[in-house]
Amino acid sequence: MNITEQKNLFDLPEDICYLNTASLSPSFKAVEKAGIAAVVQKTRPYLIPSTDFFEPVIALKKKFAQLIDVVNYERIATISSVSYGIATVARNIKLKPGDTVILMQEQFPSNYYSWKKLTDTYQAKLKIIEAPHLKSNLGKTWNDAILEAIDESTAVVAMGHIHWSSGALFDLKKIRAKTQEHNALLIIDGSQSVGALPFSVKELQPDVLICAGYKWLFGPYGCGYAYYGPYFDDGEPLEENWTNRLDSHILPDLTQYQSQYKPFANRYVMGESGSFIYVKMQLEALKQVISWTPEAVQKYCKEISVNAVKSLRDLGCEIEADEHRSHHLFGLKLPEAVDIKSFKKALKDENIYVSFRGAYVRLSCHVFNTEKDFDKFVNCLKSVMD
């Protein structure tokens, strides 16, 4: 499938160059409309049927399951954030002294603090796999180091599909095979990939996949999704809310307290998961994301950025090799001669929005972007190098 520029689906001013979806995606017009309709609906709560606490959530889970290639939608939980999902996972893992939990260098804090707390609790070890100090083939060398680090002491590998700053791709298929050899869990943060990069649970078989919903899935801030595999079928949720218990849809019987949770991932849903406003917005967003397909989004992003990447490399910027990075999100290291303060001011003056993350300037694009957006960024960089 091929897709073309679709800025008409968004309400972005013509003078704005937004290359920052990895931070926060703009809403579709359809998502905005759905949110407003839901706000209006709340003004007359007596018209909201009790089924709205459940049926739209089921529809949402089915959409996300379709996106990540999961047959049983009940393995999907709607959550508030990545940190909520990771904390749920960590709560259901017991370690032995000497066990190791493997993380990548400079992972997002939500995928660090819970693991630090868990390893400290059990006198286990946190093993951080550093990014190689290379100008090229960083991704390949990094993957090799990860695979080498997984051994008989490994209890958990927790990582992204790509690195959230550089865009370096991790070979999850090989990593999963190695974790299975050593009976280690594989916990994936798909926040910066799912929706824009193909991901199949059926193929990769992670134990958990957790995604923020407000980036490449175009939902509102404060929503997320989690897939939980069989290891977590009998786990303990973070909270005891009324909807994660068996038969909670029978509202008159709610005080007939249930000892059993709903099956599969349903026990891990956050309280108030039936949020009328959020769920309606999320449904509209996922419908569009699925219709594009991640494969087509990745192809489009590569096409509009390929010339800019060449120009940026010619200017002395370091960018991961094309075959070892994503194309919807990639980081570049600026030449030492560039004054960061001056560059940031130039970007602001030109209404160009990107992220500065660690050593990288992170560029992230989507179907509302065109090649002209990247040209504008390149010309802005040239202006502070003259």
Side-chain angles (χ1 to χ4, degrees):
M1 177 182 176
N2 290 317
I3 53 177
T4 56
E5 179 263 321
Q6 295 180 35
K7 194 171 183 177
N8 62 300
L9 298 180
F10 300 82
D11 187 20
L12 288 169
E14 286 301 321
D15 63 330
I16 297 297
C17 175
Y18 195 73
L19 292 168
N20 206 20
T21 296
S23 180
L24 186 66
S25 66
S27 290
F28 311 138
K29 293 175 184 176
V31 170
E32 179 185 341
K33 185 178 179 181
I36 292 171
V39 170
V40 172
Q41 183 188 32
K42 179 65 166 58
T43 63
R44 292 185 172 87
Y46 48 86
L47 296 178
I48 301 174
S50 60
T51 53
D52 269 17
F53 286 102
F54 301 100
E55 290 180 4
V57 178
I58 290 172
L60 183 61
K61 290 180 179 183
K62 287 180 176 178
K63 288 292 182 190
F64 187 69
Q66 179 185 349
L67 180 65
I68 63 170
D69 197 17
V70 169
V71 174
N72 184 3
Y73 74 88
E74 290 195 287
R75 290 209 170 276
I76 307 300
T78 50
I79 57 176
S80 57
S81 63
V82 170
S83 58
Y84 187 101
I86 295 293
T88 300
V89 172
R91 181 173 185 149
N92 289 284
I93 294 175
K94 290 181 171 59
L95 302 176
K96 302 187 298 294
D99 280 351
T100 60
V101 173
I102 292 177
L103 305 180
M104 307 309 104
Q105 183 184 22
E106 294 184 347
Q107 286 195 172
F108 195 76
S110 296
N111 209 1
Y112 170 82
Y113 290 124
S114 285
W115 302 117
K116 179 70 169 66
K117 184 176 181 179
L118 185 70
T119 51
D120 287 349
T121 299
Y122 288 100
Q123 286 96 43
K125 298 176 183 177
L126 206 57
K127 186 185 289 188
I128 308 294
I129 311 303
E130 294 188 2
H133 299 290
L134 300 170
K135 291 187 177 181
S136 62
N137 291 326
L138 177 147
K140 182 181 184 305
T141 307
W142 205 353
N143 274 286
D144 290 343
I146 295 164
L147 289 167
E148 187 177 346
I150 300 169
D151 57 25
E152 64 277 359
S153 73
T154 306
V156 179
V157 177
M159 60 190 300
H161 189 180
I162 65 173
H163 193 268
W164 68 294
S165 298
S166 69
L169 274 169
F170 296 117
D171 192 339
L172 296 184
K173 199 167 184 179
K174 287 184 178 179
I175 292 167
R176 183 49 175 158
K178 191 76 182 286
T179 59
Q180 287 175 325
E181 282 179 30
H182 295 284
N183 295 314
L185 297 171
L186 179 61
I187 315 299
I188 302 298
D189 180 355
S191 298
Q192 294 292 14
S193 57
V194 172
L197 191 67
F199 189 99
S200 169
V201 167
K202 190 182 295 183
E203 178 188 5
L204 298 171
Q205 300 177 35
D207 294 288
V208 175
L209 169 70
I210 296 171
C211 295
Y214 62 91
K215 299 176 186 288
W216 305 98
L217 300 175
F218 289 90
Y221 188 72
C223 71
Y225 306 89
Y227 158 83
Y228 293 96
Y231 181 91
F232 294 91
D233 281 354
D234 299 314
E236 187 177 321
L238 278 187
E239 54 177 309
E240 305 297 341
N241 68 71
W242 67 277
T243 58
N244 64 9
R245 295 285 175 158
L246 206 61
D247 298 329
S248 58
H249 62 287
I250 308 173
L251 299 187
D253 292 346
L254 285 181
T255 54
Q256 302 298 316
Y257 301 125
Q258 267 282 3
S259 61
Q260 286 184 277
Y261 294 109
K262 289 179 180 176
F264 305 112
N266 295 299
R267 66 182 58 214
Y268 299 123
V269 299
M270 66 179 182
E272 301 185 15
S273 61
S275 167
F276 313 111
I277 299 170
Y278 275 26
V279 171
K280 284 181 172 60
M281 296 172 75
Q282 288 173 262
L283 273 169
E284 284 298 323
L286 284 191
K287 286 177 190 174
Q288 183 62 66
V289 170
I290 289 169
S291 72
W292 281 326
T293 75
E295 292 84 356
V297 169
Q298 196 66 197
K299 183 173 182 289
Y300 178 82
C301 292
K302 181 178 181 179
E303 288 171 351
I304 66 170
S305 62
V306 62
N307 290 331
V309 167
K310 183 180 184 305
S311 297
L312 290 166
R313 285 176 174 145
D314 290 343
L315 289 171
C317 297
E318 294 178 23
I319 301 173
E320 176 57 69
D322 295 349
E323 63 271 26
H324 297 305
R325 66 173 176 86
S326 59
H327 297 282
H328 66 291
L329 178 164
F330 59 93
L332 56 96
K333 292 183 179 178
L334 298 171
E336 290 183 8
V338 176
D339 179 73
I340 299 296
K341 188 175 180 180
S342 298
F343 186 39
K344 286 183 176 180
K345 183 180 183 305
L347 289 169
K348 184 178 180 181
D349 290 345
E350 293 292 327
N351 290 322
I352 301 172
Y353 293 85
V354 299
S355 288
F356 287 78
R357 296 290 185 266
Y360 293 96
V361 181
R362 186 181 67 190
L363 307 182
S364 51
C365 59
H366 214 280
V367 299
F368 52 82
N369 294 115
T370 66
E371 193 170 356
K372 289 181 181 178
D373 290 317
F374 282 100
D375 291 342
K376 190 172 182 179
F377 176 84
V378 172
N379 289 334
C380 185
L381 178 58
K382 285 180 178 177
S383 73
V384 298
M385 294 180 69
D386 293 341

